[in-house]
């Protein structure tokens, strides 16, 4: 179901009502300006965390990945590195905390942009707790805004996620200025198909964040 005419038809049939499109436009406009302030190209980095550690079937539980995992995964493909403009899409507040603690716009000329909104931190929202604000209408505005912002970019770095598949559809159609189905978009999935269970499937949040902290400490020591 990834053919151009299917994607366009799906978006046409499910297009938001005018009042909703107006709210998305108002929220998107200043964020898009920040996102593209350095250049007209951008990369979407989608970090999926929260309840992926709570899957009932432990064999299907997914990783928490650090921001460095996404960036290093892209860097291993030198022809497809991330742009200096990165649109961070995440359901997890700890990802935003990680960004502010270990990354900034001056370190490597990377400019990060994300949508300010309420997010769960780690697994505190429980399994399938996808409405952290409790406001269904506002959550929908946020979701559509993020998809609209992503449609302006041509690269996506992601792990296994259903929402990433939806992001891909919006990126292929573009932001409405293209006349054709875009084929110049790049998708990089980190982690691959993790078929064999291992320790990282059941790693606790505490263990994960300790690992992230230790990783950055090693990087800092290597620069001395």
């Amino acid at each position: 179901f990834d053919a151009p005419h299917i994607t366009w038809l799906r978006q046409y049939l499910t297009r938001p009502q005018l009042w909703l499109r107006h709210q998305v436009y108002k929220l998107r406009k200043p964020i898009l300006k920040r996102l593209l302030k350095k250049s007209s190209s951008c990369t979407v980095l989608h970090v999926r965390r929260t309840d992926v550690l709570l899957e009932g079937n432990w064999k299907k539980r997914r990783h928490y990945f650090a921001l460095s995992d996404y960036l290093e995964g892209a860097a291993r493909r030198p022809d497809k590195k991330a742009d200096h403009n990165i649109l961070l899409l995440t359901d997890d507040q700890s990802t935003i905390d990680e960004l502010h603690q270990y990354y900034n716009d001056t370190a490597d000329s990377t400019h990060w942009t994300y949508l300010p909104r309420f997010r769960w931190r780690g697994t505190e929202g429980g399994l399938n707790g996808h409405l952290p604000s409790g406001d269904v209408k506002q959550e929908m505005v946020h979701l559509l805004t993020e998809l609209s912002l992503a449609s302006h970019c041509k690269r996506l770095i992601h792990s296994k996620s259903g929402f990433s598949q939806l992001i891909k559809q919006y990126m292929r159609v573009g932001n409405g200025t293209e006349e054709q189905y875009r084929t110049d978009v790049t998708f990089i999935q980190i982690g691959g198909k993790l078929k064999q269970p291992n320790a990282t499937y059941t790693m606790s949040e505490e263990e994960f964040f300790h690992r992230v902290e230790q990783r950055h400490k090693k990087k800092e020591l290597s620069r001395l």
Side-chain angles (χ1 to χ4, degrees), residues 173-185:
V173 172
N175 56 45
T177 60
E178 294 84 357
E179 296 181 357
Q180 298 180 344
Y181 194 67
R182 296 198 310 188
T183 58
D184 60 343
V185 289

Side-chain angles (χ1 to χ4, degrees), residues 15-123:
R15 66 194 186 280
Q17 294 181 358
L18 185 59
W19 66 267
L20 181 53
R21 278 182 278 173
H22 183 61
Q23 289 202 18
V24 170
Y25 173 79
K26 287 197 302 181
L27 183 58
R28 180 194 64 201
K29 187 176 180 180
I31 299 174
L32 184 61
K33 185 176 180 180
R34 288 202 307 272
L35 174 65
L36 302 179
K37 74 174 185 178
K38 290 190 175 182
S39 72
S40 59
S41 62
C42 55
T43 291
V44 180
L45 199 158
H46 178 231
V47 179
R48 176 75 168 90
R49 289 183 184 171
T50 59
D51 64 347
V52 300
L53 294 182
L54 301 177
E55 292 285 347
N57 185 342
W58 69 274
K59 291 184 178 181
K60 294 183 179 179
R61 289 175 188 166
R62 287 171 276 171
H63 289 275
Y64 269 12
F65 288 105
L67 286 177
S68 58
D69 292 322
Y70 292 87
L71 298 175
E72 290 169 8
R76 285 195 292 268
R77 301 171 65 172
D79 58 322
K80 297 175 181 178
K81 287 183 180 178
D83 292 289
H84 287 310
N85 294 329
I86 297 183
L87 173 63
L88 177 60
L89 305 185
T90 182
D91 57 350
D92 178 51
Q93 183 58 38
S94 69
T95 306
I96 305 299
D97 298 341
E98 184 183 345
L99 169 64
H100 288 294
Q101 185 171 356
Y102 299 116
Y103 299 89
N104 57 68
D105 287 356
T106 60
D108 59 358
S109 300
T110 301
H111 173 61
W112 295 80
T113 303
Y114 61 89
L115 179 66
R117 63 182 178 88
F118 185 77
R119 296 173 171 87
W120 295 124
R121 179 175 277 101
T123 59

Side-chain angles (χ1 to χ4, degrees), residues 145-207:
T145 300
E146 291 187 329
L147 289 171
S148 180
L149 288 168
S151 71
H152 289 264
C153 302
K154 293 187 178 181
R155 292 183 182 88
L156 169 64
I157 308 170
H158 66 100
S159 57
K160 183 179 179 182
S161 165
F163 188 58
S164 289
Q165 302 308 310
L166 188 58
I167 296 171
K168 290 179 182 179
Q169 293 176 17
Y170 274 74
M171 290 177 67
R172 286 194 176 106
V173 172
N175 56 45
T177 60
E178 294 84 357
E179 296 181 357
Q180 298 180 344
Y181 194 67
R182 296 198 310 188
T183 58
D184 60 343
V185 289
T186 300
F187 306 125
I188 302 172
Q189 179 174 338
I190 67 165
K193 296 181 178 179
L194 304 170
K195 297 179 181 180
Q196 297 298 324
N198 55 59
T200 53
Y201 272 76
T202 55
M203 180 181 292
S204 69
E205 293 174 69
E206 292 77 12
E207 291 173 310

